[in-house]
Amino acid sequence: MSVQQTAWQAQPISTALQQAVASQLSVVPVLDIVQALPPAQQTQIRHLVACSSFAGRVLLQQPTLIPTILSAEALPPLVLTTDAAEAQVMSQLRRHRNASLVQILTDDVFARQSVAQSLQRVSALADQLINAAYHWAYAELAKQWGQPLDEQGQPMPLLILGMGKLGGGELNFSSDIDLILVYPQNGDTSGGRRSCENQQFYTRLGQKLIALLHQVTADGFVYRVDMRLRPFGDSGPLVLSFAAFEDYYQAQGRDWERYAMLKARILNPLEPFAHELKSMLKPFVYRRYIDFSAIESLRRMKQLIEQENRRRNRIDNIKLGAGGIREVEFIVQTLQLIRGGRIPQLQQPSIFLALQALSDNEILSQAQADALLQDYLILRQVEQLLQGMDDQQTQTLPADPLSRERLVLACAAKDWDDLTTRINQAMARVHQQFKQVIAHEDNAEPEQVLLGRILWDSELPAVELADEIHWLAAEDAVQLVEAVVQFKHDCQKRSVGPRGRELLAKLVPQLLHDLELEQAGSAVLSRVLVVFRQIVSRTAYLELLFENPKALQQLVKLCGRSGWLSTHLARYPMLLDELIDPELLYQVATVADYRDRLRLQLLRVPEDDLELVMETLRQYKQAQQLRIAAADITGILPLMKVSDHLTWLAEAVMEKVVDLAWQQMVEKYGYPAGLAAGSAKNFAVVAYGKLGGLELGYGSDLDLVFLHQCDSLADTSGDRAIDSRQFYLKLVQRILHLCTTRTASGVLYDVDTRLRPSGNAGLLTVHIETYRDYLLQDAWTWEHQALVRTRLIYGDAVIAKRFDDIRAEVLAKPRDLPKLQTDVVEMRQKLREHHGVDNAEVKHAAGGVVDLEFISQYLVLAYAATFPALYQYSDNIRILDAAVIAGLMPLEQAGLLQQAYRDLRGVSHRLTLEPVDTTDLPDVSSAMQQVQASWASVLGNEQALPH
């Protein structure tokens, strides 16, 4: 049943809406044209503008459209001549786009076409505009550079892959378009005034195409262009050759990219190139057998959808809310991915044809397919008219009365309640089918939780109930029962609704069963209840734990191993989603995984929504850190690997932060002098301290220094131009803002920039040659010590090579050993006094981690001039290896020091993860004695550890 069930009829409108319509139609010449219309058409045009202020704006700009759209005549064709100026082309594209959309919207409002026809027309319009812009841009570039030709001398196109709804031919009214740009082969252009490599030509072509569509002018824009689905995302090249494209998907293509490629369609299918590209993609997307290997990935995608619904509570979002448009798409695309390899009929991007194929092949029943289709059409019709109201990309139902009235009019509903009832009923039906797709396993059997139900429901004294807790000693059993009773009383005082109370009555017994399985007592229960107390009023998270018993099991397991994790999960309950799939939770990631996962997560976030981007970055970091901690406490990752993973995570996050900050600065100020899209940034991030030494801990901040290689004082290229060096200063300020601003999910990382030249008195970023001069001429010995533990974690090859050369030059500088020895010992004494001479922490105590770090730093500064291998690495373990090879330390002594270092850092990690229970920490006194002995031997017996 469609939302709009009958032909259009005039309806009364409120005074406020009448005034809004009059303000748009009372302007000459619109007023004159409208007054010349027959009364029935005057009523129609007022109704159209009442439904859409966007239509009113376009008619003010193009008043001659009025008779055309009312009579449903065809618009004049779009013709872009090759001699037209770029500004003229942009205007033509935008005016034709606006006129065409108003014509489509008019036919929607007056029920002249079906929803499917409306979607197809919007998609066809996009194809037309994109191709028109492409052909003009190609011809424009060919004048100067010639054309890329194949072996037969035929021009080769840049093939444009339309993704998502554009690819499926079901584009919504005001939508982003997702594109991927691919060209046939490398080579050089010919036939122009100059020649260039094909890749350069196609990159320029892609940039010009995006500008023609994306740039906002006085006439608006054509489409917001999103290129993040291309291989490697924002960090990848704008265009790829067929060979590079195929290599990427064969070697690195992820399941989510297979899912995305289901909707891929070539918008300019010039043969034989289009056939070659389709043949290349088909085996990546569709497997010849029933593809059960993809089910787990699809299940995780489904969990992500459910997770987002919980976190963002999108009750009024007809696309992303529970039962929204996205869930229909997920149902269809999941079945396509699993079955499409054996059923060619499923291998096409249209959701309408795919649904029919699923029914024809009895994968869905005819009734299921029909119900999904009808509910999908209801939601897509509302989406079209909602976006047509103001040409805004939104799927959230409006809250203000005027917008609600517009939408009710456009949908031909009786009133707002009538409209939302139909929407809610459609979404409820969709969500029921969504839940049945690759469903989860059933919950635990009731008899397993019988004891817990007795404890939760009974009013008997704790001592009597404790007799049932057979796996604990009597005293601990009483404490456990008392904790349950106290928690129940606490919940009665809080605003826990009926559903929350119902869930707790089921969850607590399951929790007690899981405690029994782990043979855990009251201490572990107390940690779990710290989390429960944070979520008792948030039914979505109680639902998560109840519907996913494995998540509750993992919560008990992790809280049993770590008090820090208990506190962490209580502070950020959205991390409970990470516990749903134990296999994924404990899966050891690679360096590339951290970047890929972050890229995938950010693809679901609008780039211009800074607040959501920042929140997503923090949630990602918290989730990955939880996975690392889970693998740590269960022994899957040894200590040194834990630090590696925390370091890789930080590097992946910082790389994305820098790219985001750069993008924001470029949009605001343009590019620094001499740079353009796709060129190197001439910018570097240098990690000091624990990040530099690959020894990051859970609570570590990031010691960073920012360098640039900008030699020009000229202005940037944007409309709001600033000095190019000031651009880099603002870039660093933006990076720090993205990292350190506190959101609902905390800060991303605390960043310490005090190790930059001149410390807090210095600029936040300096030229790399200024950095070199400072280190060679003005730096203190302790700053050279800090340089030992540095690595460049962001920067192009040129600036990276320059940094490595500077680091080598400074560290290998010949030094006066007695003075160096004195400087190192004095600096250590200052640190001891700063942190307290009686400080017993394994980091700062005599014979602790800092002393060992000073030993390795001293060895580098003292002997690197003779033994360059000493400064090759920035971590203590490999520096000590190099010291042995150089003959500066016996192998046995270095081995003992390395083991002492591992032991000391192991205790430090344990103290972070288990701040409550430290009774079973290993004894590190012998390790600290070894460090003290090595200090005396390396720095001289008469200069033993300072006290």
Side-chain angles (χ1 to χ4, degrees), residues 437-501:
V437 177
I438 49 176
H440 297 293
E441 298 174 3
D442 294 337
N443 292 334
E445 292 296 321
E447 58 265 23
Q448 296 176 319
V449 296
L450 184 59
L451 171 62
R453 287 177 181 165
I454 293 171
L455 294 182
W456 184 252
D457 295 334
S458 178
E459 299 295 334
L460 292 173
V463 175
E464 293 184 31
L465 292 171
D467 290 339
E468 304 292 332
I469 313 295
H470 58 82
W471 73 90
L472 296 179
E475 184 179 352
D476 198 17
V478 171
Q479 291 175 353
L480 183 143
V481 174
E482 288 175 342
V484 172
V485 171
Q486 185 60 51
F487 174 66
K488 184 176 180 179
H489 290 163
D490 292 346
C491 292
Q492 290 169 350
K493 299 173 187 175
R494 298 181 62 179
S495 56
V496 181
R499 180 57 179 159
R501 287 193 294 273

Side-chain angles (χ1 to χ4, degrees), residues 159 161 182-185 231 240-251 258 261 264 266 272-287:
L159 291 185
L161 276 174
V182 195
Y183 62 92
Q185 63 190 43
L240 278 92
S241 67
F242 280 8
F245 196 64
E246 184 174 29
D247 287 346
Y248 173 83
Y249 286 109
Q250 284 186 354
R258 288 181 59 201
M261 276 295 172
I266 302 172
F273 309 106
H275 177 75
E276 183 180 352
L277 182 57
K278 288 177 188 174
S279 301
M280 188 186 306
L281 281 173
K282 182 177 176 179
F284 168 68
V285 179
Y286 296 106
R287 307 293 157 86

Side-chain angles (χ1 to χ4, degrees), residues 870-916:
L870 284 167
Y871 60 73
Q872 182 177 357
Y873 297 108
S874 59
D875 61 283
N876 291 296
I877 297 292
R878 288 184 288 187
I879 289 173
L880 292 172
D881 285 338
V884 172
I885 295 170
L888 300 173
M889 181 178 288
L891 177 60
E892 181 181 3
Q893 182 185 2
L896 290 171
L897 264 186
Q898 289 171 331
Q899 189 56 50
Y901 184 61
R902 293 187 185 98
D903 291 344
L904 292 168
R905 285 190 55 215
V907 168
S908 181
H909 269 285
R910 288 283 300 280
L911 287 169
T912 299
L913 288 175
E914 300 186 46
V916 179

Side-chain angles (χ1 to χ4, degrees), residues 37-263:
L37 295 171
Q41 289 192 334
Q42 290 186 32
T43 302
Q44 281 186 304
I45 208 70
R46 281 194 293 270
H47 182 79
L48 175 65
V49 176
C51 292
S52 169
S53 59
F54 165 67
R57 292 197 302 272
V58 174
L59 295 179
L60 281 173
Q61 294 173 331
Q62 304 181 57
T64 56
L65 281 175
I66 292 174
T68 303
I69 62 173
L70 289 176
S71 60
E73 296 176 16
L75 292 173
L78 173 66
V79 179
L80 302 180
T81 58
T82 55
D83 59 347
E86 185 167 316
Q88 180 187 346
V89 169
M90 283 192 169
S91 178
Q92 282 182 265
L93 287 168
R94 283 150 181 76
R95 289 175 66 85
H96 186 78
R97 177 255 190 196
N98 292 340
S100 299
L101 284 179
V102 169
Q103 186 183 51
I104 293 169
L105 180 65
T106 304
D107 291 343
D108 284 340
V109 168
F110 297 126
R112 296 172 181 167
Q113 62 187 358
S114 68
V115 184
Q117 289 171 326
S118 175
L119 299 175
Q120 193 277 329
R121 285 178 65 188
V122 173
S123 302
L125 172 63
D127 286 8
Q128 177 193 18
L129 292 167
I130 293 166
N131 273 286
Y134 162 77
H135 288 300
W136 184 87
Y138 191 105
E140 188 72 6
L141 285 173
K143 294 175 187 176
Q144 180 174 2
W145 300 102
Q147 301 181 75
L149 305 178
D150 64 10
E151 292 82 354
Q152 287 74 43
Q154 296 300 311
M156 294 188 296
L158 178 67
L159 291 185
I160 306 168
L161 276 174
M163 308 294 287
K165 290 187 175 67
L166 173 60
E170 59 239 8
L171 195 65
N172 39 300
F173 189 89
S174 182
S175 177
D176 290 358
I177 55 172
D178 296 290
L179 303 179
I180 297 177
L181 307 177
V182 195
Y183 62 92
Q185 63 190 43
N186 291 315
D188 296 302
T189 61
S190 60
R193 293 192 295 271
R194 299 167 62 188
S195 179
C196 67
E197 294 180 354
N198 287 355
Q199 183 174 24
Q200 291 179 312
F201 177 89
Y202 289 121
T203 299
R204 292 187 178 105
L205 177 56
Q207 290 168 342
K208 189 172 283 291
L209 172 64
I210 292 168
L212 287 171
L213 299 173
H214 189 95
Q215 191 170 320
V216 178
T217 71
D219 295 304
F221 61 92
V222 185
Y223 295 105
R224 295 169 290 265
V225 181
D226 192 333
M227 299 295 297
R228 291 179 294 171
L229 288 178
R230 71 185 189 269
F232 305 107
D234 285 336
S235 60
L238 187 66
V239 300
L240 278 92
S241 67
F242 280 8
F245 196 64
E246 184 174 29
D247 287 346
Y248 173 83
Y249 286 109
Q250 284 186 354
Q252 302 186 49
R254 304 294 194 265
D255 283 328
W256 69 264
E257 288 174 305
R258 288 181 59 201
Y259 183 86
M261 276 295 172
L262 286 167
K263 306 292 285 184

Side-chain angles (χ1 to χ4, degrees), residues 6-7 16 113 120 136 164 175 190 201 281 289 296 338 344 350 417 425-426 545 632 700 703 819 859 907:
T6 59
Q113 62 187 358
Q120 193 277 329
W136 184 87
S175 177
S190 60
F201 177 89
L281 281 173
Y289 44 84
E296 282 308 311
I338 295 171
S350 165
D417 288 341
Q425 289 173 346
L545 291 174
D632 180 4
S700 301
D703 295 299
K819 182 181 184 305
L859 289 172
V907 168

